Amino acid sequence: MAQIRIARRVLTECIAAMAFPILLLSILVAPVSAPVVAETDRSRARWCGVETMPLKPSDHSWAQWVAPRLRSRSIWRTDLPVFVTAVLLSALSLMVAFFGFIGAAALVFSPVFWLFGIAAQVGPFTPESVGETLLAMPAGIVLGAVTTTVLTGTSFLRDLLLRAFSRSRDPDLLAKLEELRTSRASLTAAFEFERQRIERDLHDGAQQELVAVVMRLGMLEATATAAAADQERIVRLARQAQAHAERALERLRDTVRNIHPRELSDLGLIAAVRELAARSPLRVELNSTGDDAQLSSPTATAVYFTVSEALTNISKHAGVGSARIDLRCTTTDVHVRVHDDGVGGARIYAGSGLAGLRERMRSVGGNLEILSPPGGGTLVVASAPSQPPW
């Protein structure tokens, strides 16, 4: 593992060395390029095994993120110092990598060059015999090791300066923490809303049906006791009790399915969405690709209920009788799109079912977006990694 991290550090320094001309040109537009370079440096640090927090939200483009960043004080406290550090250390890495690795290669292959009549000069050293070229080979290996060490040290220096410039109370870091607190509060509210919905469904649905069953059975008992000959009334009451019991059973099944569908646990996400589409009052066109075997249970559940809520909203509000679902599963992530050609105008607002679903998707490292121009239909897009980041 340590060798891999060292290799990553040397590789990133070599990339930084090659990117030095671009960094030099980016000084001309430093206020705009500084946040991009600083965020790229944070990504480099994470790839090298250093814990850093990304500031750019995954659902934002660079333009959407840089524009407000330019108006914050963080660009002066964090981004510009990191940018200047990146330019200076990239220049150092360029010189070290260029002269170090080229010199090491010239020394190691010095005997080969000698065979072709070339005396490979490295600094003040110029071989004058075959013996000197052979002695140059271990010197080249040592130079390569020293160059690797210096580049690794440069990478660690980048990390040190990055942490030093990020220790100040970065308003964007505080904003991100506040976003996490808000997200947690929204998720808690969504779960509370779901518990209330389950209680309401049980109270207004199955419970009422079971009360009706009990009443019918009481009437059936009274009728059978008072008038054993009134067979027709007894049969009618028995049939009514049976009908209420069947409705109660069906409502209980619906409630349990809304908590966690059995198809999702037994057959997987694709089969569960297919069953969901079959039960929908809409004509649903389902296009599914990939294999859902790699999906974790939290991710599959979040995507399933996103599709369920989207179909319910289409049935209630879109004013159309059809919908289309595109579901794609890979070994690393899952993407789903639910589209209708209805009236549009849907939006996510606090306390809505879609707001709860968006927080649920975010809780597994995903995201949910809605594109719904008035009169242009509604497109619900959800994506998440196969395994949650936690």
Side-chain angles (χ1 to χ4, degrees):
M1 183 62 69
Q3 291 82 354
I4 294 177
R5 289 186 176 179
I6 291 176
R8 287 184 174 183
R9 289 186 178 279
V10 174
L11 177 60
T12 53
E13 288 305 315
C14 291
I15 294 174
M18 291 185 290
F20 174 70
I22 299 176
L23 290 174
L24 205 57
L25 290 175
S26 66
I27 295 177
L28 301 175
V29 287
V32 177
S33 59
V36 177
V37 173
E39 186 69 8
T40 303
D41 196 45
R42 283 185 279 269
S43 299
R44 174 207 60 81
R46 286 194 301 277
W47 195 62
C48 292
V50 179
E51 292 186 4
T52 57
M53 179 181 293
L55 298 184
K56 187 180 81 67
S58 59
D59 57 342
H60 282 48
S61 66
W62 283 104
Q64 290 174 323
W65 177 69
V66 169
R69 184 78 175 171
L70 293 174
R71 297 190 293 270
S72 71
R73 289 176 296 175
S74 299
I75 191 172
W76 306 103
R77 293 180 177 179
T78 304
D79 293 346
L80 279 176
V82 173
F83 173 73
V84 173
T85 299
V87 174
L88 296 178
L89 292 183
S90 295
L92 175 62
S93 296
L94 176 62
M95 291 186 292
V96 172
F98 182 80
F99 292 106
F101 285 138
I102 290 182
L107 290 173
V108 169
F109 293 101
S110 184
V112 178
F113 295 144
W114 185 267
L115 291 177
F116 289 94
I118 301 174
Q121 181 179 0
V122 178
F125 173 74
T126 303
E128 297 180 353
S129 66
V130 176
E132 290 184 358
T133 60
L134 294 176
L135 291 175
M137 294 179 64
I141 296 175
V142 172
L143 179 59
V146 170
T147 303
T148 300
T149 303
V150 173
L151 291 177
T152 304
T154 304
S155 179
F156 278 112
L157 181 59
R158 285 181 190 271
D159 297 339
L160 180 64
L161 294 175
L162 178 63
R163 286 194 294 265
F165 294 134
S166 301
R167 281 176 183 168
S168 59
R169 294 177 60 84
D170 191 326
D172 290 289
L173 284 174
L174 298 178
K176 195 169 186 67
L177 290 175
E178 182 61 29
E179 179 185 345
L180 291 175
R181 295 191 188 100
T182 303
S183 177
R184 185 174 63 180
S186 300
L187 193 59
T188 302
F191 286 158
E192 181 62 28
F193 174 81
E194 187 68 10
R195 284 193 291 268
Q196 293 176 0
R197 183 193 65 78
I198 294 172
E199 188 276 334
R200 185 172 60 251
D201 288 348
L202 289 174
H203 180 274
D204 298 339
Q207 181 174 316
Q208 296 297 326
E209 297 292 347
L210 289 174
V211 169
V213 169
V214 172
M215 293 178 60
R216 290 295 187 277
L217 290 176
M219 296 170 62
L220 179 62
E221 179 184 8
T223 302
T225 302
D230 193 357
Q231 297 294 326
E232 182 178 350
R233 178 173 171 78
I234 293 175
V235 170
R236 184 174 67 254
L237 289 174
R239 288 176 176 171
Q240 290 176 351
Q242 181 183 13
H244 281 294
E246 290 175 349
R247 284 198 294 270
L249 180 61
E250 184 62 29
R251 292 199 176 191
L252 279 175
R253 286 172 177 168
D254 289 340
T255 300
V256 171
R257 185 182 293 114
N258 287 333
I259 296 174
H260 190 84
R262 189 173 185 83
E263 299 90 349
L264 190 59
S265 301
D266 295 344
L267 303 176
L269 176 63
I270 294 177
V273 171
R274 187 177 294 113
E275 178 67 20
L276 183 66
R279 292 197 314 268
S280 174
L282 303 168
R283 297 187 307 276
V284 180
E285 176 188 350
L286 173 60
N287 300 311
S288 60
T289 59
D291 183 9
D292 58 10
Q294 301 297 324
L295 293 182
S296 66
S297 177
T299 298
T301 301
V303 173
Y304 174 87
F305 282 109
T306 297
V307 175
S308 177
E309 181 73 13
L311 291 179
T312 299
N313 288 341
I314 294 172
S315 178
K316 290 182 178 179
H317 309 298
V320 294
S322 61
R324 187 177 75 251
I325 302 174
D326 297 311
L327 177 61
R328 179 169 59 87
C329 302
T330 69
T331 57
T332 58
D333 52 24
V334 56
H335 298 266
V336 65
R337 298 162 59 93
V338 183
H339 183 260
D340 69 78
D341 296 322
V343 297
R347 61 187 181 88
I348 300 177
Y349 56 90
S352 67
L354 287 174
L357 289 174
R358 181 174 62 181
E359 297 306 324
R360 187 173 218 164
M361 293 299 300
R362 288 178 175 177
S363 71
V364 296
N367 192 38
L368 183 144
E369 295 181 352
I370 290 184
L371 302 176
S372 185
T378 299
L379 174 63
V380 178
V381 182
S383 60
S386 299
Q387 300 296 325
W390 37 266

